[in-house]
Amino acid sequence: MITPARTARRRLVTDRVMTALFLAAIVVAVAPLVSVLGYIVAQGVSGITWAFFTRLPAPVGEGGGGMANALVGTLTLIALASCVGVPVGILGGLFLAEIGGGALGWWIRFTADVLNGVPSIVVGVFVYALVVVPMKRFSALAGGIALGIMMIPLVMRTTEEMVRLVPAALREASLALGIPWWVTTLRVTLRAATAGVITGVMLAVARIGGETAPLLFTAFNTQYWQAGWDQPIASLTVQLYNYAIAPYDDWHRQAWAAALVLMAIVLVLNVAARAAGRPRSLGG
Amino acid sequence: MFRSQVGREAEALLLPPGGARPRRWADRTFRGALTAPGLVVVLLVAWIAVELTGAAMPAIRRFGPAFLWTSRWDPVHNVFGALPFVYGTIASSVLAVVIGVPISLGVAIYLAEIAGARTARLLSCLIELVAAIPSVILGLWGIFVLAPWVRTVVEPPLAAVLGWLPLFSGPAYGIGLLAAGIILAIMVIPVVSSVSRDALRAVPQEQREAMYALGATRWEVIRHAVLPYGRSGIIGAIILGFGRAFGETMAVTMVIGNRPQIAPSLFQPAYTIAAALANEFSEATSDLYLSALVEMALVLFAVSLLVNGAAQWLVSRMTRA
């Protein structure tokens, strides 16, 4: 027979237990981050040498060598991707925020979210068929296009969100001065949202900078400095992958060092983006 | 100050003598200049579909729908059946959802219902950072940290207790389906938890207060008043997480073992569609081989459209309501 006091106690205990379980879920969710960061630092620090940043990869067994070409390659690919992704993304985001209220806007928003969910390796296959096959070779250009395509929906949706935060009064004040709508949009609305838009671009760069899958058969990889836009280009991520799955201890050490450098770049971009995007007084 | 500045800039920038007419023309052009990039996204998705279908056509013609349920993958004899890859993809994603969703829900409930605003913001930040770890780094960690841990700590006790189930039978490899499921779960948790957290936050406060007024404990409020209300958003979040796991490439490729087989045990190596693309695409020797790989990419693309479309629709219905 259950007495009221006992049910009350049981209900309270259940409540406590569940709260503890939720807290445990948080711990489990954050634990991998701690472990990954800990191992990257512990394993990677020894590989961070002057040579790592300045030398080309050395052949197996020779020892030494670095990833200078991969580091430059990743920066080049990011720059190429930004040429595609940033203008299209920002203008598209402006469209969504300013005139995208109707059915067309809904469809574009929906497709952007869907494109964002398309596996990055599929984007790689698409760019392979589109660029690599006609050019008959892997190229930096193809890698940049693949990353740029991935960047578009990311930049677009954050730009939209940030532009929406700009108070309508600011636009109206500008329009009331007789300034045309297009100048208002570019020089008042977009300018007021600058900090937020930059945040979005930085987060997008952090995301594509860590991408490997779309580069495997577009940018491919090389052990040398990049020879031209239509030639294969090295990247930190692909180099990291090749080294990680190879059976050599020396390469593993370099892979951890590459992971440390890459993670540092990603973290700095994320933290800086958050700092830049902190809601301050608008219009700055 | 603001006014004069904008006014002067505007004047300097574009007011040629002529007034309203060229300005309206400029506005209309600008409208087009904004719409075009928006349409680029729609165009891209359509273009991907057309391009992939075109490149996959030889394989589609040759093997028909049986491509999806035959399991002989033999590049030497140009016979291709994708079943082991389809199986590996589904099995690893389902495993990720099974492991990841309870944890994600716990995180979402803690963030939305229990933690204070400041703690919640800090924890959300940390969990978003998990999502920011590049997949290839998680894979590196997977090879050297997770897989040995799975082999020595996770699999032996599982085999000892549940070894009579085929799922947990056989030798502990470390590298295999279970490790892939765990690493995918890690990647899925940030997505599922942040979307379901938003769904829970959208539950109206009255819903909770009414239940508290009846003398319910916090868990009872969550269980009976909050979770049922946020259900469609949470289901959307789970589908979204499944979609993320489905197409994930690098981390999975590095820990799943890449063996095209359909083994009953979770400890055994397997192979996913994305991993096969990553490993074999740039080495495909015959046109039919390449075409078969593209067809698998097409399958991945089609499923990601369906899954993301459905999730988007569920989540938007939730947050709009």
Side-chain angles (χ1 to χ4, degrees), chain A residues 11-12 14-15 18-19 21-23 25-26 28-30 32-33 35-36 39-40 87-92 94-95 98-99 104 106-108 110-123 125-126 128-130 133 138 149 152-153 156 170 173-174 177-183 185-188 191 206-207 210-213 216-217 220 237 240-241 244-245 252 255-256 258-260 262-263 266-267 270 274, chain B residues 2-3 5-7 9-10 13-15 23 26-27 30-31 33-35 37-42 44-45 47-48 51-52 55 102-107 109-111 114 123 125-130 132-138 140-141 143-145 186 189 214-220 222 243-244 246-250 253-254 258 274 277-279 281-282 290 294 297 300-301 304-305 308-310 312-313 316 320:
Chain A
R11 287 172 56 208
L12 276 179
T14 311
D15 184 59
M18 291 314 290
T19 307
L21 280 180
F22 298 145
L23 194 60
I26 294 269
V28 173
V30 177
L33 178 72
S35 173
V36 169
Y39 271 97
I40 291 177
V88 178
I90 289 182
L91 291 178
L94 272 177
F95 168 83
E98 297 291 300
I99 45 180
L104 181 64
W106 187 88
W107 272 107
I108 291 178
F110 183 80
T111 333
D113 286 344
V114 168
L115 182 61
N116 196 16
V118 169
S120 58
I121 188 114
V122 172
V123 176
V125 172
F126 169 62
Y128 178 88
L130 193 71
V133 171
F138 302 111
I149 289 175
I152 293 173
M156 202 167 193
L170 217 56
S174 166
L177 291 170
I179 297 169
W181 170 70
W182 77 273
V183 183
T185 305
L186 281 182
R187 311 218 61 166
V188 178
R191 179 174 289 188
R207 165 91 184 276
E211 275 293 347
T212 320
L216 288 173
F217 29 84
F220 205 62
T237 47
L240 201 174
Y241 173 62
I245 59 173
H252 292 162
W256 282 107
L260 179 58
L262 188 63
M263 197 68 221
V266 169
L267 276 183
N270 268 281
R274 253 164 258 276
Chain B
F2 173 72
R3 169 184 154 168
Q5 194 189 334
V6 174
E9 277 176 4
L13 204 98
L14 82 125
L15 283 187
R23 217 185 291 165
D27 272 359
F30 186 59
R31 204 184 169 84
L34 291 192
T35 314
L39 287 174
V40 163
V41 176
V42 180
L44 265 176
V45 171
W47 199 355
I48 295 177
E51 194 77 41
L52 292 186
I103 299 172
S104 309
L105 283 185
V107 169
I109 292 171
Y110 190 85
L111 292 180
I114 298 175
L123 288 173
C125 223
L126 283 180
I127 287 168
E128 269 170 47
L129 278 184
V130 177
I133 303 174
S135 165
V136 69
I137 293 186
L138 265 182
L140 177 74
W141 176 81
I143 292 178
F144 293 106
V145 182
I186 293 172
I189 286 171
L214 294 173
T217 63
R218 185 161 58 194
W219 162 240
E220 285 160 350
I222 293 168
R244 191 55 57 88
F246 203 85
E248 181 46 52
T249 311
M250 299 321 294
T253 308
M254 292 161 93
N258 298 333
L277 289 173
N279 285 327
F281 201 86
S282 53
L290 200 65
V294 175
L300 218 52
F301 177 68
S304 83
L305 287 193
N308 280 290
Q312 234 51 268
W313 180 72
S316 75
R320 218 184 297 134

Side-chain angles (χ1 to χ4, degrees), chain A residues 188-228:
Chain A
V188 178
T189 316
L190 187 58
R191 179 174 289 188
T194 306
V197 172
I198 290 176
T199 304
V201 171
M202 283 163 87
L203 288 176
V205 165
R207 165 91 184 276
I208 61 155
E211 275 293 347
T212 320
L215 297 178
L216 288 173
F217 29 84
T218 54
F220 205 62
N221 195 15
T222 164
Q223 300 299 319
Y224 306 101
W225 293 103
Q226 179 213 353

Side-chain angles (χ1 to χ4, degrees), chain B residues 85-105:
Chain B
F85 306 101
V86 173
Y87 164 78
T89 307
I90 294 175
S92 60
S93 312
V94 167
L95 205 55
V97 167
V98 168
I99 300 170
V101 163
I103 299 172
S104 309
L105 283 185

